[in-house]
Amino acid sequence: MVEKFFNEAFKQARQAIKENSGGPFGAVVVHRDRIIGRGMNTVLRDHDPTAHAEINAIREAAGKIQKHNLGECFLVSTSEPCPMCLMAAHWADLQKIYYAAPHSLARQYGFRDEKLAQMIDNSYIRVIAVDDFYQQAEDLFKLWKEQGSQVY
């Protein structure tokens, strides 16, 4: 069911790596089996610490449907959302988040999401690891590292 959405999220992440716009992260927001928001990490390009893939996808989706409440939507992300993105998903009223790479993988590449996430109680949104896409997510981190991109 979510495979086609993961494919687009990975496409967004590969674009972020290619452009060196941010970390190896991509996300999409889905409404009624249709992508309404796409995002890649643009922290470095935009000089904006909040320009994570999930935030960018949520912003695009909300703008597209002209509503701040995305309660009928779900998020698909290449990586487990950081605490900021998780809280943005809470504010947007997303009901589910599917992700491929856990915080522990991001930590191996220098990201600090796992430590921050330990401070957050995640009891509102169903956050679901989809192990079938773990290897693709790990490949993104490897590609990102090989490119020599920086951790922020």
Side-chain angles (χ1 to χ4, degrees):
M1 172 193 151
V2 296
E3 182 175 357
K4 65 182 174 181
F5 305 125
F6 269 107
N7 290 338
E8 182 61 28
F10 284 117
K11 180 179 172 184
Q12 293 295 311
R14 284 190 295 277
Q15 187 66 30
I17 293 168
K18 180 180 176 184
E19 294 179 12
N20 197 25
S21 65
F25 307 102
V28 295
V29 173
V30 179
H31 178 257
R32 296 184 182 159
D33 206 37
R34 200 175 109 248
I35 294 173
I36 62 168
R38 291 171 172 79
M40 64 179 183
N41 188 296
T42 59
V43 168
L44 301 176
R45 183 192 75 197
D46 297 344
H47 309 289
D48 179 354
T50 70
H52 290 197
E54 298 90 342
I55 301 286
N56 289 336
I58 289 168
R59 287 176 178 156
E60 182 176 289
K64 190 172 281 184
I65 65 171
Q66 295 293 291
K67 290 170 61 177
H68 69 279
N69 187 309
L70 303 175
E72 296 178 0
C73 303
F74 63 88
L75 181 75
V76 175
S77 179
T78 59
S79 291
E80 187 173 359
C82 75
M84 176 186 67
C85 293
L86 185 59
M87 291 302 106
H90 278 286
W91 280 110
D93 205 26
L94 291 166
Q95 297 302 305
K96 291 181 187 174
I97 298 171
Y98 297 93
Y99 70 90
H103 291 309
S104 59
L105 179 61
R107 179 179 34 86
Q108 293 174 34
Y109 288 85
F111 292 92
R112 56 192 165 138
D113 305 42
E114 187 173 43
K115 188 177 228 178
L116 296 171
Q118 292 170 350
M119 299 180 220
I120 304 296
D121 173 27
N122 180 29
S123 57
Y124 179 68
I125 297 176
R126 290 188 58 209
V127 182
I128 304 158
V130 183
D131 295 333
D132 294 349
F133 297 98
Y134 179 90
Q135 188 59 54
Q136 284 180 275
E138 185 174 26
D139 291 345
L140 288 174
F141 280 98
K142 289 176 182 176
L143 179 62
W144 174 81
K145 184 176 183 178
E146 289 167 5
Q147 184 173 300
S149 299
Q150 64 180 349
V151 174
Y152 44 86

